[in-house]
Amino acid sequence: MPPARPLLLDLAPEEWDLGPGPDFRRKQLADWLYQKRAASLAEMTNLPAKLREDMASRYDFAALKLVRVQGSEDTTRKLLWELRTGDYIESVLIPASLDLFGERSDRFTLCLSTQVGCAYGCRFCASGLEGFKRNLTAGEIVAQIIETERTTGVRINNLVFMGMGEPLANYANLLRALRFINEPWGVGIGARHITISTSGLAPQIRELAQQPLQIRLALSLHGATDAVRAQIMPVNRKYPLAELLDACAEYQDKKRKMMTLEYILIERVNDMPEQAVLLARHARRLNAKVNLIPYNTVEGLEWKRPSDQVIDDFAAILKNAGVTATVRREKGHDIDAACGQLRLKQLQADAQQSSVELRA
Ligand code: SAH
Ligand code: SF4
């Protein structure tokens, strides 16, 4: 059942129906929603009671309900949300590492979901396992930031679109969310602190290149030849490497920013030295740095991460070729940090629950 009332966060302030009244009410309401992260209309004490009543009858205020938090304050925390439609999504809160003096850093990155499930079906990923359900709306994307700050009390400085879903397949809502995040009345995180990760939708990469926003781009490459990439990423059949890398070159040319090539290392699938040599070539062409991610085991999937020796050798080939490469030892390895895994567990638990109910 689709929700009966529109979600307030899906609309820009100029689209809100506030009835008759002075225009500065829009500014006040935006301030409560985005700056003060108000939890309810009742908190908005400088708005007339009548207006608050009208708003409550016209709009839904809460986009997300917190179901579960996994992880601890010092490490990565994963938040599982229930949407108004009963679907589940997750966001991951990642603290910057401790600074030189051992003080706790106040810099936090939030990893956002953009879809319920994913249609791209990469063979190694938990998000695609249950198929695609629906796109998130702009408000549901932005609400992840506001609700995470409210529930955890931290201030988020950095955003990465690396959660569940393919952000560029939800292009219109993504752009709208980016506007709400960027605007002075909105969340107030600058484009330079935002990274979009894509499995390689070449036409949308070109479209994003035309946007004035200085967003960072991360490409999930995971294979340096069509043969290797197509084996684990079906999207490669639609947009083969030559076309994809050309689109990235255009992005790089327009933005003059350093891109990131993400490369999951999976044992005996893409961890061969020849792949490293070709990966280095792609990275140099795009002036990109490489982020090596040892594969995070997903229950039910057969892939394994390579040995530390193989990972180090792979990284050394890149470095010797003059490419900046980092190995991301997953901070959240122990809490199912790879996207989609917490939701998968919840879906499995729900399924078990309903089969128990059926039997009872
Ligand atoms: N759909 C987009 C963004 C979400 S996935 C994309 O594919 O880029 C974010 C990143 O997590 C991608 O690089 C993806 O390949 C990676 N990832 C997915 N499953 C993983 C796993 N089991 N271990 C490590 N990384 C994984
Ligand atoms: Fe979708 Fe990205 Fe997972 Fe591929 S890696 S299935 S594109 S979320």
Side-chain angles (χ1 to χ4, degrees):
M1 269 284 286
R5 282 175 300 210
L7 183 65
L8 193 57
L9 283 174
D10 275 338
L11 304 170
E14 72 271 11
E15 296 166 331
W16 292 334
D17 175 7
L18 301 187
D23 214 47
F24 64 78
R25 296 282 181 229
R26 284 180 207 285
K27 167 104 193 45
Q28 284 178 318
L29 183 53
D31 200 47
W32 280 112
L33 286 176
Y34 291 100
Q35 262 75 53
K36 300 200 178 77
R37 277 78 164 148
S40 68
L41 280 160
E43 271 177 49
M44 307 182 180
T45 42
N46 63 353
L47 297 180
K50 171 81 171 73
L51 173 59
R52 282 185 271 157
E53 263 167 45
D54 289 350
M55 296 296 288
S57 65
R58 243 173 250 152
Y59 297 109
D60 263 357
F61 187 75
L64 309 172
K65 200 165 78 196
L66 186 66
V67 179
R68 194 146 40 120
V69 184
Q70 214 178 359
S72 72
E73 256 179 57
D74 299 323
T75 59
T76 304
R77 264 174 289 180
K78 197 157 196 178
L79 301 105
L80 181 72
W81 310 104
E82 188 180 343
L83 300 167
R84 296 185 303 160
T85 46
D87 300 307
Y88 298 109
I89 56 161
E90 48 194 82
S91 320
V92 184
L93 184 64
I94 310 154
S97 37
L98 300 179
D99 73 13
L100 283 177
F101 305 102
E103 302 277 321
R104 175 94 50 81
S105 160
D106 61 351
R107 299 198 70 78
F108 283 89
T109 296
L110 189 68
C111 176
L112 297 167
S113 290
T114 52
Q115 299 183 313
V116 181
C118 183
Y120 286 81
C122 301
R123 305 273 182 255
F124 47 80
C125 176
S127 294
L129 278 182
E130 300 274 324
F132 171 74
K133 189 93 184 277
R134 70 170 175 91
N135 281 326
L136 295 191
T137 66
E140 289 168 334
I141 295 172
V142 171
Q144 294 172 63
I145 311 168
I146 299 175
E147 292 287 343
T148 300
E149 290 196 334
R150 187 173 23 242
T151 19
T152 61
V154 308
R155 192 83 190 176
I156 292 156
N157 332 80
N158 242 318
L159 296 175
V160 293
F161 286 86
M162 294 186 182
M164 200 191 323
E166 168 49 52
L168 296 187
N170 185 11
Y171 193 78
N173 293 346
L174 174 74
L175 274 200
R176 195 170 165 83
L178 287 173
R179 184 186 156 217
F180 294 0
I181 292 167
N182 254 285
E183 290 275 349
W185 51 257
V187 176
I189 297 176
R192 285 182 170 71
H193 301 285
I194 302 175
T195 302
I196 293 176
S197 175
T198 177
S199 60
L201 275 53
Q204 284 89 334
I205 291 173
R206 288 186 196 277
E207 261 183 75
L208 199 64
Q210 304 305 324
Q211 290 290 326
L213 297 171
Q214 286 294 322
I215 305 271
R216 291 176 183 278
L217 188 67
L219 174 67
S220 294
L221 197 60
H222 311 331
T225 53
D226 281 322
V228 168
R229 196 167 189 264
Q231 219 186 313
I232 45 177
M233 300 183 74
V235 67
N236 195 77
R237 282 178 211 170
K238 196 155 182 204
Y239 305 115
L241 270 184
E243 187 183 344
L244 176 57
L245 295 174
D246 279 354
C248 291
E250 184 180 328
Y251 194 88
Q252 166 60 23
D253 201 45
K254 285 260 159 40
K255 306 284 181 198
R256 301 257 155 238
K257 304 215 72 153
M258 196 175 252
M259 303 190 33
T260 304
L261 298 179
E262 293 167 279
Y263 198 98
I264 303 182
L265 284 164
I266 309 176
E267 189 178 67
R268 280 196 278 275
V269 172
N270 64 0
D271 61 349
M272 299 72 96
E274 311 85 78
Q275 288 289 307
V277 171
L278 289 172
L279 174 59
R281 202 173 293 168
H282 299 323
R284 276 206 310 270
R285 173 185 172 202
L286 296 172
N287 186 28
K289 59 180 179 191
V290 174
N291 203 345
L292 297 173
I293 312 158
Y295 180 66
N296 227 321
T297 321
V298 175
E299 242 178 78
L301 297 181
E302 83 244 52
W303 317 101
K304 289 200 184 67
R305 65 168 59 183
S307 67
D308 284 349
Q309 185 63 52
V310 169
I311 295 172
D312 291 344
D313 292 350
F314 196 95
I317 294 175
L318 294 169
K319 285 177 189 156
N320 289 338
V323 171
T324 308
T326 50
V327 180
R328 194 205 300 163
R329 309 266 176 205
E330 277 295 346
K331 279 190 189 159
H333 191 46
D334 49 344
I335 61 151
D336 306 320
C339 57
Q341 297 200 39
L342 196 56
R343 167 175 172 265
L344 204 61
K345 281 200 175 154
Q346 182 69 28
L347 291 176
Q348 285 159 353
D350 283 359
Q352 228 166 32
Q353 177 74 25
S354 55
S355 70
V356 169
E357 277 162 15
L358 273 179
R359 264 181 269 138

PDB file of all heavy atoms in Angstrom, residues 118 120-122 124-125 127-128 165-166 199, ligand 2:
ATOM      1  N   CYS A 118      18.541  -4.081  -5.609  1.00  0.00           N
ATOM      2  CA  CYS A 118      19.285  -3.559  -6.754  1.00  0.00           C
ATOM      3  C   CYS A 118      19.048  -4.476  -7.935  1.00  0.00           C
ATOM      4  O   CYS A 118      19.001  -5.699  -7.784  1.00  0.00           O
ATOM      5  CB  CYS A 118      20.779  -3.493  -6.436  1.00  0.00           C
ATOM      6  SG  CYS A 118      21.740  -2.777  -7.796  1.00  0.00           S
ATOM      7  N   TYR A 120      21.000  -4.743 -10.591  1.00  0.00           N
ATOM      8  CA  TYR A 120      22.183  -4.999 -11.404  1.00  0.00           C
ATOM      9  C   TYR A 120      22.836  -6.353 -11.176  1.00  0.00           C
ATOM     10  O   TYR A 120      23.658  -6.795 -11.982  1.00  0.00           O
ATOM     11  CB  TYR A 120      23.162  -3.815 -11.298  1.00  0.00           C
ATOM     12  CG  TYR A 120      22.587  -2.676 -12.095  1.00  0.00           C
ATOM     13  CD1 TYR A 120      21.601  -1.864 -11.564  1.00  0.00           C
ATOM     14  CD2 TYR A 120      22.928  -2.511 -13.426  1.00  0.00           C
ATOM     15  CE1 TYR A 120      20.992  -0.876 -12.322  1.00  0.00           C
ATOM     16  CE2 TYR A 120      22.320  -1.529 -14.197  1.00  0.00           C
ATOM     17  CZ  TYR A 120      21.358  -0.717 -13.640  1.00  0.00           C
ATOM     18  OH  TYR A 120      20.754   0.228 -14.404  1.00  0.00           O
ATOM     19  N   GLY A 121      22.468  -6.979 -10.042  1.00  0.00           N
ATOM     20  CA  GLY A 121      22.828  -8.381  -9.834  1.00  0.00           C
ATOM     21  C   GLY A 121      24.303  -8.727  -9.934  1.00  0.00           C
ATOM     22  O   GLY A 121      24.640  -9.787 -10.482  1.00  0.00           O
ATOM     23  N   CYS A 122      25.188  -7.865  -9.432  1.00  0.00           N
ATOM     24  CA  CYS A 122      26.607  -8.227  -9.403  1.00  0.00           C
ATOM     25  C   CYS A 122      26.729  -9.497  -8.568  1.00  0.00           C
ATOM     26  O   CYS A 122      26.091  -9.627  -7.527  1.00  0.00           O
ATOM     27  CB  CYS A 122      27.439  -7.103  -8.803  1.00  0.00           C
ATOM     28  SG  CYS A 122      27.257  -5.568  -9.728  1.00  0.00           S
ATOM     29  N   PHE A 124      28.737 -10.837  -6.601  1.00  0.00           N
ATOM     30  CA  PHE A 124      29.393 -10.884  -5.281  1.00  0.00           C
ATOM     31  C   PHE A 124      28.632 -10.088  -4.221  1.00  0.00           C
ATOM     32  O   PHE A 124      29.035 -10.020  -3.084  1.00  0.00           O
ATOM     33  CB  PHE A 124      30.803 -10.270  -5.406  1.00  0.00           C
ATOM     34  CG  PHE A 124      30.789  -8.968  -6.161  1.00  0.00           C
ATOM     35  CD1 PHE A 124      30.416  -7.805  -5.537  1.00  0.00           C
ATOM     36  CD2 PHE A 124      31.103  -8.933  -7.518  1.00  0.00           C
ATOM     37  CE1 PHE A 124      30.353  -6.617  -6.240  1.00  0.00           C
ATOM     38  CE2 PHE A 124      31.043  -7.746  -8.231  1.00  0.00           C
ATOM     39  CZ  PHE A 124      30.667  -6.577  -7.590  1.00  0.00           C
ATOM     40  N   CYS A 125      27.523  -9.456  -4.597  1.00  0.00           N
ATOM     41  CA  CYS A 125      26.934  -8.419  -3.748  1.00  0.00           C
ATOM     42  C   CYS A 125      25.634  -8.892  -3.096  1.00  0.00           C
ATOM     43  O   CYS A 125      24.783  -9.494  -3.753  1.00  0.00           O
ATOM     44  CB  CYS A 125      26.674  -7.181  -4.600  1.00  0.00           C
ATOM     45  SG  CYS A 125      25.832  -5.870  -3.706  1.00  0.00           S
ATOM     46  N   SER A 127      23.292  -6.903  -1.946  1.00  0.00           N
ATOM     47  CA  SER A 127      22.156  -6.016  -2.263  1.00  0.00           C
ATOM     48  C   SER A 127      21.318  -6.526  -3.417  1.00  0.00           C
ATOM     49  O   SER A 127      20.120  -6.285  -3.488  1.00  0.00           O
ATOM     50  CB  SER A 127      22.651  -4.617  -2.621  1.00  0.00           C
ATOM     51  OG  SER A 127      23.228  -4.016  -1.511  1.00  0.00           O
ATOM     52  N   GLY A 128      21.970  -7.204  -4.351  1.00  0.00           N
ATOM     53  CA  GLY A 128      21.256  -7.653  -5.537  1.00  0.00           C
ATOM     54  C   GLY A 128      20.573  -9.001  -5.347  1.00  0.00           C
ATOM     55  O   GLY A 128      19.772  -9.418  -6.182  1.00  0.00           O
ATOM     56  N   GLY A 165      21.795  -0.380  -3.643  1.00  0.00           N
ATOM     57  CA  GLY A 165      21.237   0.186  -4.867  1.00  0.00           C
ATOM     58  C   GLY A 165      22.271   0.817  -5.767  1.00  0.00           C
ATOM     59  O   GLY A 165      23.418   1.014  -5.384  1.00  0.00           O
ATOM     60  N   GLU A 166      21.833   1.124  -6.990  1.00  0.00           N
ATOM     61  CA  GLU A 166      22.702   1.765  -7.972  1.00  0.00           C
ATOM     62  C   GLU A 166      22.241   3.231  -8.094  1.00  0.00           C
ATOM     63  O   GLU A 166      21.187   3.495  -8.696  1.00  0.00           O
ATOM     64  CB  GLU A 166      22.617   1.006  -9.309  1.00  0.00           C
ATOM     65  CG  GLU A 166      23.220   1.702 -10.498  1.00  0.00           C
ATOM     66  CD  GLU A 166      24.628   2.239 -10.280  1.00  0.00           C
ATOM     67  OE1 GLU A 166      25.510   1.488  -9.828  1.00  0.00           O
ATOM     68  OE2 GLU A 166      24.847   3.431 -10.548  1.00  0.00           O
ATOM     69  N   SER A 199      28.205   1.259 -10.605  1.00  0.00           N
ATOM     70  CA  SER A 199      28.688   0.022 -11.205  1.00  0.00           C
ATOM     71  C   SER A 199      29.016   0.242 -12.682  1.00  0.00           C
ATOM     72  O   SER A 199      29.464  -0.685 -13.347  1.00  0.00           O
ATOM     73  CB  SER A 199      27.619  -1.055 -11.058  1.00  0.00           C
ATOM     74  OG  SER A 199      26.434  -0.642 -11.705  1.00  0.00           O
TER      75      SER A 199
HETATM   76 FE1  SF4 B   2      23.915  -3.208  -7.240  1.00  0.00          FE
HETATM   77 FE2  SF4 B   2      26.271  -2.015  -6.680  1.00  0.00          FE
HETATM   78 FE3  SF4 B   2      25.578  -4.378  -5.539  1.00  0.00          FE
HETATM   79 FE4  SF4 B   2      26.175  -4.290  -8.128  1.00  0.00          FE
HETATM   80  S1  SF4 B   2      27.575  -3.833  -6.402  1.00  0.00           S
HETATM   81  S2  SF4 B   2      24.427  -5.396  -7.208  1.00  0.00           S
HETATM   82  S3  SF4 B   2      25.331  -2.324  -8.725  1.00  0.00           S
HETATM   83  S4  SF4 B   2      24.579  -2.407  -5.253  1.00  0.00           S
END
